[in-house]
DNA sequence: CTGTTAGCGCCTTCAA
DNA sequence: TTGAAGGCGCTAACAG
């Protein structure tokens, strides 16, 4: 019994009784251009189908000097709870452009970063998407010099590289606009501002909120600063309420903060949205798990990932360096006076 | 100015003044075996380093008939909030074995599934990991016949393939053992059993719990069935409490159920763990966001992914078909009478 | 319109 | 111990 080995283009050509060249042209959809007889084409295609022929990608890559592979290196995108949708967007977009994505996760470790880059270069990738889980400034490793790179969810301090980020400023305005509907019953406070940190998304969101409120003639209440996690948010809001404050609306700078905020409100017997309106950012599943579901200005992770890949593979010559993607609203029932789109809870 | 092109093995050999053969032997660590002069080796290595030579993977693959690439196709692993750690484990393990992972996400759509498989076969992958986000039975597409396949987090109905799953039954016993410590103050109920469904993890967890309780002479209280999501869990537990029940311990079959359970307990003025002990499954970040942090029997996602890849690449001839990985405990403060490992909340 | 031919970069058998 | 040569499967001049 003969060992069944993968059929080659030569096998197909032989089976169809033509030369490799002809078979190659036909299978690469250049039959028309080459004016090949219809029945020849038919014969070759049939032979290819019968043999279940698949072009050998290695041979093709070797000949074409392109691996049709791109690298996606990130700090915590794959492992994190939220941003992994970026991967889905990226791989899907890549697939549509007939490329594959190799992912590498550095966990923020510069040594690992370097290692991953080495490996990608070893693999002769056609380009690299450099991503971060938190919208922030980065310094690109010098190993990436001269490589085709697109930044995803981050900005480079030094260079001007094609970059894809969410439009956090507009997102901030959106959030403010949402709460403005139920305005008139009290103060609007922002929960989650932080004194320092490379995550500029926080500042842009805050600025957007401030500007939109201002243009509506509303003066924001005292900020409630805290780290971007559940527990710190709980503590900050709890302390705030304990101090006797009676906010009408809380804009939480992300969904985990919203969760902590909900916990603190509950602790004080306050109900969302009857006593306090809440709007949040991120649009993660977490927002939908809260009671009532939180309205959240969403990070368009899948689109971000997809866009980065598209930009990497098909650069727009005259395009802007920085592409900002809009943040859609994920509607819950946490806003007083807002019309709820879906079914009630 | 000459266009700087990637150096080839020939370039290295020329620079070092040796033949390609010699260079190849040296760079493939076969210098010793071939008894090549030490200074020759030194010269070649230096030349390779100076030229920043990297073997062309396409050429190598072509020659060696192996792409050193494996496919990982799943329903919702990358996109989900929880299981994406499987990807990290898989890619890391693959990297250590000098392979890369191509991921594809079918969203459970059989048509997409087939498409993804086609693409992987087009890429001539060396093997495929077939994964699901929920521990369940699957029927492998026939397109995978004859391919090297390892099942990850699922079992095949028909075939006997190498399989990696969490040890849910033992996990169930672990959970029961945890609550047994604080036993003696009332009934233990399981929240989240469901009448039907392909997710056998639920049954195994329940059986493990039941058996462990039984062997400790404890008879479990009425089950509280509900779908595996926050809202349904809230409703089920809320109804249960409204019925006048006063449970001492609730074992939630996953972390989202635990979240809904917490919400219901709070609604009834019950405190965790003083009034009610809670233990949960999954070990997701969500468990750490609850107040107090929930003790959860964790799904070892990263290890699962890593193990699947290792099994794919280095099959153990005499090994068992099904590898069950232990579920470690992620300790919180939701158990009455339990010693808390870390700092208190 | 179709066939012949020459590599892409690498590994490896065979000679020297 | 090293060199020459062939071929992995494919594409694309270049002839016919």
């Amino acid at each position: 019994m003969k060992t069944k080995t993968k059929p080659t283009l030569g096998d197909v050509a032989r089976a169809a009784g033509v030369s490799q060249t002809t078979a190659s042209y036909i299978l690469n959809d250049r039959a028309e251009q080459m004016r090949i007889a219809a029945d020849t084409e038919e014969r070759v295609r049939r032979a290819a189908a019968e043999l279940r022929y698949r072009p050998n990608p290695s041979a093709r890559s070797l000949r074409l000097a392109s691996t049709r592979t791109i690298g996606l290196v990130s700090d915590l995108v794959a492992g994190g709870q939220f941003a992994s949708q970026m991967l889905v967007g990226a791989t899907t977009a890549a697939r549509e452009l007939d490329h594959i994505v190799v992912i590498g996760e550095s966990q923020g470790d510069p040594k690992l970063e370097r290692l991953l880059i080495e490996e990608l270069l070893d693999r002769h990738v056609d380009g690299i998407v450099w991503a971060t889980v938190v919208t922030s400034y980065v310094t690109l490793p010098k190993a990436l010099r001269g490589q085709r790179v697109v930044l995803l969810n981050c900005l480079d301090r030094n260079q001007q590289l094609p970059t894809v980020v969410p439009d956090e400023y507009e997102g901030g305005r959106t959030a403010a606009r949402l709460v403005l509907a139920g305005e008139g019953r009290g103060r609007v406070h922002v929960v989650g501002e932080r004194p320092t940190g490379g995550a500029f998304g926080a500042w842009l969101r805050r600025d957007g909120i401030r500007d939109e409120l201002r243009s509506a003639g509303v003066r924001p209440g005292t900020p409630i600063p805290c780290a971007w996690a559940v527990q710190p948010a709980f503590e900050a809001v709890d302390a705030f309420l304990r101090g006797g404050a009676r906010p009408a609306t809380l804009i939480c700078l992300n969904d985990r903060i919203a969760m902590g905020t909900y916990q603190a409100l509950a602790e004080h017997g306050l109900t969302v949205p009857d006593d306090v309106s809440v709007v949040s950012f991120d649009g993660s599943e977490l927002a939908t798990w809260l009671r009532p579901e939180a309205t959240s200005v969403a990070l368009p992770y899948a689109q971000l990932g997809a866009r980065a890949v598209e930009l990497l593979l098909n650069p727009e010559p005259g395009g802007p360096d920085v592409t900002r993607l809009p943040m859609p609203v994920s509607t819950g029932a946490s806003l007083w006076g807002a019309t709820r789109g879906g079914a009630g809870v």
Side-chain angles (χ1 to χ4, degrees), chain A:
Chain A
M1 175 184 145
K2 235 176 88 180
T3 320
K4 186 180 56 186
T5 177
K6 291 189 178 141
T8 71
L9 183 56
D11 295 334
V12 174
R14 200 170 317 116
V18 300
S19 77
Q20 262 201 43
T21 315
T22 308
S24 173
Y25 281 143
I26 292 170
L27 263 20
N28 286 322
D29 296 323
R30 293 173 49 186
E32 197 169 358
Q33 181 186 338
M34 287 292 128
R35 303 198 195 178
I36 288 175
D39 67 321
T40 305
E41 171 165 0
E42 176 57 20
R43 222 167 347 121
V44 170
R45 288 200 186 281
R46 192 193 317 286
E50 271 171 15
L51 294 177
R52 315 203 96 256
Y53 166 74
R54 300 163 184 290
N56 181 315
S58 308
R60 202 174 211 148
S61 289
L62 181 56
R63 186 65 233 262
L64 266 22
S66 151
T67 53
R68 303 200 81 75
T69 297
I70 65 185
L72 167 30
V73 9
S74 66
D75 48 0
L76 275 174
V77 169
Q81 314 299 303
F82 303 114
S84 58
Q85 280 291 343
M86 287 207 307
L87 290 187
V88 178
T91 53
T92 303
R95 173 172 315 121
E96 264 148 30
L97 297 169
D98 192 24
H99 280 247
I100 61 175
V101 177
V102 181
I103 64 177
E105 186 118 324
S106 74
Q107 327 254 20
D109 174 7
K111 208 164 290 178
L112 232 185
E113 256 176 21
R114 227 141 341 140
L115 210 72
L116 289 171
I117 294 173
E118 283 304 306
E119 286 195 12
L120 292 175
L121 298 185
D122 283 353
R123 285 273 174 181
H124 287 212
V125 294
D126 294 344
I128 290 177
V129 174
W130 188 261
T132 57
V133 68
V134 171
T135 311
S136 57
Y137 281 99
V138 296
T139 303
L140 227 49
K142 42 269 130 287
L144 248 28
R145 290 287 157 73
Q147 301 297 321
R148 171 128 197 79
V149 174
V150 168
L151 261 31
L152 175 52
N153 209 31
C154 53
L155 296 176
D156 187 85
R157 282 196 191 74
N158 314 312
Q159 309 173 55
Q160 296 212 332
L161 291 167
T163 299
V164 183
V165 290
D167 193 342
E168 311 260 14
Y169 176 78
E170 267 309 317
R173 301 193 69 133
T174 302
R177 222 172 294 124
L178 284 168
V179 307
L180 250 21
E183 228 341 85
R185 52 173 191 154
R187 278 268 188 257
V188 178
H189 301 264
V190 174
V191 186
E193 293 189 16
R194 281 184 297 182
T196 62
F200 60 83
W203 305 118
L204 294 174
R205 290 175 186 183
R206 183 205 51 185
D207 292 349
I209 294 165
R210 184 200 53 206
D211 292 354
E212 184 70 22
L213 289 182
R214 180 175 296 163
S215 76
V218 174
R219 207 164 64 84
T222 331
I224 308 174
C226 68
W228 283 25
V230 179
Q231 186 64 19
F234 168 83
E235 283 160 10
V237 176
D238 179 56
F240 185 70
L241 296 172
R242 216 182 284 282
R246 196 63 167 70
T249 301
L250 295 177
I251 302 184
C252 301
L253 287 184
N254 81 7
D255 287 338
R256 272 157 297 164
I257 292 175
M259 179 165 174
T261 298
Y262 267 60
Q263 291 172 343
L265 291 173
E267 194 98 345
H268 288 260
L270 295 170
T271 307
V272 177
D274 295 333
D275 297 319
V276 181
S277 283
V278 173
V279 65
S280 166
F281 286 87
D282 279 6
S284 65
E285 258 190 71
L286 176 56
T288 72
W289 293 340
L290 300 174
R291 282 184 52 77
E293 226 171 273
T295 291
S296 188
V297 180
L299 250 8
Y301 279 126
Q303 288 91 318
L304 288 167
R307 197 61 188 281
V309 167
E310 287 158 9
L311 243 38
L312 186 73
L313 262 20
N314 299 318
E316 300 170 1
D321 281 350
V322 177
T323 304
R324 294 177 204 283
L325 261 34
M327 299 177 70
V329 176
S330 161
T331 303
S334 60
L335 284 168
W336 184 79
T339 316
R340 179 85 165 79
V345 184

